[in-house]
Amino acid sequence: MKHPVPNSALEIRVPFVDTDAMGVVHHSNYIRYLEVARVKFLEEHDMPYVSYLEMGFQFAVTRVDVRYKKVAKFDDRLVVRVWVEWVKNVSLGFAYEVSRGDEIVTLAKTEHASVDNSGTLTRLPKPQRNALRALLARPAD
Amino acid sequence: MKHPVPNSALEIRVPFVDTDAMGVVHHSNYIRYLEVARVKFLEEHDMPYVSYLEMGFQFAVTRVDVRYKKVAKFDDRLVVRVWVEWVKNVSLGFAYEVSRGDEIVTLAKTEHASVDNSGTLTRLPKPQRNALRALLARPAD
Amino acid sequence: MKHPVPNSALEIRVPFVDTDAMGVVHHSNYIRYLEVARVKFLEEHDMPYVSYLEMGFQFAVTRVDVRYKKVAKFDDRLVVRVWVEWVKNVSLGFAYEVSRGDEIVTLAKTEHASVDNSGTLTRLPKPQRNALRALLARPAD
Amino acid sequence: MKHPVPNSALEIRVPFVDTDAMGVVHHSNYIRYLEVARVKFLEEHDMPYVSYLEMGFQFAVTRVDVRYKKVAKFDDRLVVRVWVEWVKNVSLGFAYEVSRGDEIVTLAKTEHASVDNSGTLTRLPKPQRNALRALLARPAD
């Protein structure tokens, strides 16, 4: 699959606890996988999310949209690929692709608001905003 | 708030385990709340989901789209309202509204495919399809 | 079953998400059930846990010991019964029994330290300590 | 720390979703960490747990006993060390140590029954039982 901009890849070996009585990964768990992938992306391409938290910033989740294409099972090896899709002054969006080998398991998008510790909308710090925006203009390797 | 068709209401007292280090309900938990509300809706307006499972049917989740409007905290009393939005031969859609008093906390939609135990698309049994469709034509009380 | 002291009972209808690929409730979920039951107990017999938090107190979990006797399935109706087992100056213990009808599904004990917001051991406020200790001397109805 | 017998080590970078409103890893999550570590141990020292499942065997959890010594936070790097503690004909026990650098965060033990797909107690297959027992007699490297 082709990804438009620099991205990160998180490998997941499906834990047994994530399965449900249908024998497949319960759909709610992918939301957790997306978050772990997003945190990895920030660390690799921007700055660690803990640094945002220490500076008093949070990326509050304002929308999650997940499309489930295939089921996954216990012990499957999944790859969650994540990239930034858009960056505004107080919000940003990520896109995700969860795959197993050549198969796409799940596609997702999330939207986030940049807020301070009191939950008030706050501009992303300029260096971080610029770092994230620069990724949008650069094709993936 | 006005709901277009017959619906069900699930009351949730937010458990501590559902909060995160920001002091609010982690966004992933709403996905679980929606499912519990949906199961309650089927029992109240159609037939228990266990009966579907016993008949070899499942409503596989094919899409989850959640918009987060407000945060919720430990011990908050939330109401998850759910209604059926559309019914096709092998798929159906639900809509949800999570509220706290007069405030809307979260809005969501889910889509489902009717599949058999092997995961193959299968028409919803006609009596159930008709029961669900009848709800669409009837205004909420 | 006979319970030695005043207790609380939490009813749970097993959510689908709590099942695993063996078709039964995954053992990790009982830990969450215990917490919800404990919070209900405090509200009914002592004071709401949120009030403890607002006063700067927490009951940090220092031990969880769970014995699994029977499996539970999706949609089962479980009752989690909880009572206080001992109360010291800076710690306390609860006991639990999860049942389905006449069957015991799980037995558990948890231990907790009374700590302040910085995690330092702190005596339970005297009125609360006395309220909890009074329960130990009083037989269940 | 010294471990008596051959063991496995699972590295965990604490996900944000695993934290609670106290800012620390919620105690229920360690139960999930133990399972992932146990599955890794079986793969490294015995055979993959999926192979057990395919043969119709399960290690049903009959007891979980966890002692919490220190709190962990978002993004902490934890190591879950696991080893087999005893092996009987139809049951076995594991011990665990979760650490962060030199600090012990959590100590745990779990007990398991060997059951077939219907939940009936069933002897562990002899080659596996012998492989696991051999570990008990061999000091850790």
Side-chain angles (χ1 to χ4, degrees):
Chain A
M1 285 142 287
K2 223 169 122 281
H3 305 282
V5 292
N7 54 71
S8 290
L10 170 75
E11 292 179 33
I12 289 176
R13 187 94 176 262
V14 172
F16 190 74
V17 63
D18 289 357
T19 59
D20 66 24
M22 291 302 110
V24 302
V25 174
H26 189 269
H27 63 281
S28 62
N29 293 300
Y30 292 92
I31 315 294
R32 299 193 293 108
Y33 301 167
L34 303 182
E35 181 180 81
V36 177
R38 194 163 63 236
V39 165
K40 190 177 188 204
F41 176 88
L42 290 175
E43 181 169 274
E44 289 181 2
H45 293 287
D46 179 18
M47 70 174 187
Y49 190 52
V50 283
S51 304
Y52 274 105
L53 296 178
E54 283 162 9
M55 288 167 64
F57 284 92
Q58 304 168 40
F59 288 179
V61 177
T62 52
R63 187 175 183 183
V64 164
D65 188 2
V66 187
R67 290 157 193 267
Y68 303 90
K69 304 294 185 185
K70 298 277 180 193
V71 296
K73 302 205 166 180
F74 168 54
D75 221 33
D76 274 2
R77 294 165 188 274
L78 304 179
V79 175
V80 186
R81 204 161 281 279
V82 52
W83 59 96
V84 66
E85 211 178 35
W86 51 267
V87 181
K88 293 184 182 171
N89 287 343
V90 296
S91 60
L92 73 171
F94 291 94
Y96 311 79
E97 181 193 275
V98 183
S99 56
R100 177 185 44 217
D102 287 342
E103 267 186 324
I104 292 188
V105 173
T106 310
L107 295 174
K109 289 177 188 290
T110 62
E111 297 180 10
H112 305 261
S114 167
V115 298
D116 65 17
N117 285 336
S118 70
T120 308
L121 284 176
T122 309
R123 278 169 178 268
L124 280 169
K126 197 154 188 185
Q128 280 70 45
R129 217 185 325 149
N130 287 343
L132 290 167
R133 278 190 177 143
L135 295 175
L136 295 174
R138 189 155 68 82
D141 303 323
Chain B
M1 284 142 285
K2 224 169 121 283
H3 305 283
V5 292
N7 54 73
S8 291
L10 170 75
E11 291 180 33
I12 291 176
R13 187 94 176 262
V14 172
F16 191 74
V17 62
D18 289 356
T19 60
D20 67 21
M22 292 302 110
V24 302
V25 174
H26 190 269
H27 64 281
S28 61
N29 293 300
Y30 292 92
I31 315 294
R32 297 194 293 108
Y33 301 166
L34 304 182
E35 182 180 80
V36 177
R38 193 163 65 236
V39 165
K40 189 176 188 205
F41 175 88
L42 290 174
E43 181 168 274
E44 290 182 2
H45 294 288
D46 179 19
M47 71 173 186
Y49 190 53
V50 281
S51 304
Y52 274 105
L53 297 177
E54 284 162 7
M55 287 167 64
F57 283 92
Q58 305 169 39
F59 287 179
V61 178
T62 51
R63 187 174 183 185
V64 164
D65 188 2
V66 187
R67 289 156 194 268
Y68 302 90
K69 304 294 185 185
K70 299 278 180 192
V71 295
K73 302 206 166 179
F74 168 53
D75 221 31
D76 275 2
R77 292 167 189 274
L78 304 178
V79 175
V80 186
R81 204 162 279 277
V82 52
W83 59 95
V84 67
E85 213 179 34
W86 51 268
V87 181
K88 292 185 184 169
N89 286 343
V90 295
S91 60
L92 74 170
F94 292 94
Y96 312 77
E97 181 194 274
V98 183
S99 55
R100 179 185 41 218
D102 287 341
E103 267 186 325
I104 292 187
V105 173
T106 310
L107 295 173
K109 289 177 189 289
T110 62
E111 297 179 10
H112 305 261
S114 167
V115 298
D116 64 17
N117 285 336
S118 70
T120 307
L121 283 175
T122 310
R123 278 170 179 266
L124 279 170
K126 198 154 189 183
Q128 280 69 46
R129 219 187 322 149
N130 287 343
L132 290 167
R133 278 191 178 142
L135 295 175
L136 294 175
R138 188 154 68 83
D141 303 324
Chain C
M1 285 142 284
K2 221 168 124 280
H3 306 283
V5 293
N7 53 72
S8 291
L10 170 76
E11 290 179 33
I12 290 176
R13 187 95 176 261
V14 173
F16 190 74
V17 62
D18 289 356
T19 59
D20 65 23
M22 292 302 110
V24 302
V25 174
H26 189 269
H27 63 281
S28 62
N29 294 300
Y30 292 92
I31 314 294
R32 298 193 294 106
Y33 301 167
L34 303 183
E35 182 180 80
V36 178
R38 192 163 65 236
V39 165
K40 190 176 188 206
F41 176 87
L42 290 174
E43 182 169 273
E44 290 181 2
H45 293 288
D46 178 19
M47 71 175 186
Y49 190 54
V50 282
S51 305
Y52 274 105
L53 296 178
E54 283 161 8
M55 288 166 64
F57 283 92
Q58 304 168 39
F59 287 179
V61 178
T62 51
R63 187 173 183 185
V64 164
D65 187 2
V66 186
R67 289 156 193 267
Y68 303 91
K69 304 294 185 185
K70 299 277 180 192
V71 295
K73 302 207 167 178
F74 168 54
D75 221 32
D76 275 2
R77 293 167 189 273
L78 303 179
V79 175
V80 186
R81 204 162 280 278
V82 51
W83 59 96
V84 66
E85 212 178 34
W86 51 267
V87 181
K88 293 185 183 170
N89 287 342
V90 296
S91 60
L92 74 170
F94 292 94
Y96 312 78
E97 181 193 274
V98 183
S99 55
R100 179 185 43 219
D102 286 341
E103 267 186 325
I104 292 188
V105 173
T106 310
L107 295 173
K109 290 176 187 290
T110 63
E111 297 180 10
H112 306 262
S114 167
V115 298
D116 64 18
N117 285 335
S118 70
T120 308
L121 283 176
T122 309
R123 277 169 179 267
L124 280 169
K126 197 154 189 185
Q128 281 69 46
R129 219 187 321 150
N130 287 343
L132 290 167
R133 278 190 177 144
L135 295 175
L136 294 175
R138 189 153 68 82
D141 303 323
Chain D
M1 282 142 287
K2 223 169 123 281
H3 305 283
V5 293
N7 53 73
S8 290
L10 170 74
E11 291 180 32
I12 290 176
R13 188 92 177 263
V14 172
F16 190 73
V17 63
D18 288 356
T19 59
D20 66 23
M22 293 301 110
V24 302
V25 174
H26 189 270
H27 64 280
S28 62
N29 294 300
Y30 292 92
I31 314 295
R32 297 194 294 108
Y33 301 167
L34 303 183
E35 181 179 80
V36 178
R38 192 163 65 235
V39 165
K40 189 176 188 206
F41 175 87
L42 290 174
E43 181 168 275
E44 290 181 3
H45 294 287
D46 178 18
M47 71 175 186
Y49 190 53
V50 282
S51 304
Y52 275 105
L53 296 177
E54 284 162 7
M55 288 166 64
F57 284 92
Q58 306 168 37
F59 288 179
V61 177
T62 51
R63 187 174 183 184
V64 165
D65 187 2
V66 187
R67 290 156 192 267
Y68 303 91
K69 304 294 184 185
K70 299 277 180 193
V71 294
K73 302 205 166 180
F74 169 53
D75 221 33
D76 275 1
R77 293 166 189 274
L78 303 180
V79 175
V80 185
R81 204 161 281 277
V82 52
W83 59 95
V84 66
E85 213 179 34
W86 51 267
V87 181
K88 292 183 184 171
N89 286 344
V90 295
S91 61
L92 74 171
F94 291 93
Y96 311 79
E97 179 193 276
V98 182
S99 56
R100 178 184 45 216
D102 287 341
E103 267 185 324
I104 291 187
V105 173
T106 309
L107 294 174
K109 290 177 188 290
T110 62
E111 297 179 10
H112 305 262
S114 168
V115 297
D116 64 18
N117 285 336
S118 70
T120 308
L121 284 176
T122 310
R123 278 170 178 267
L124 280 170
K126 197 154 188 184
Q128 280 70 45
R129 217 184 326 147
N130 287 343
L132 290 167
R133 279 193 177 142
L135 295 175
L136 294 175
R138 187 155 69 82
D141 303 324

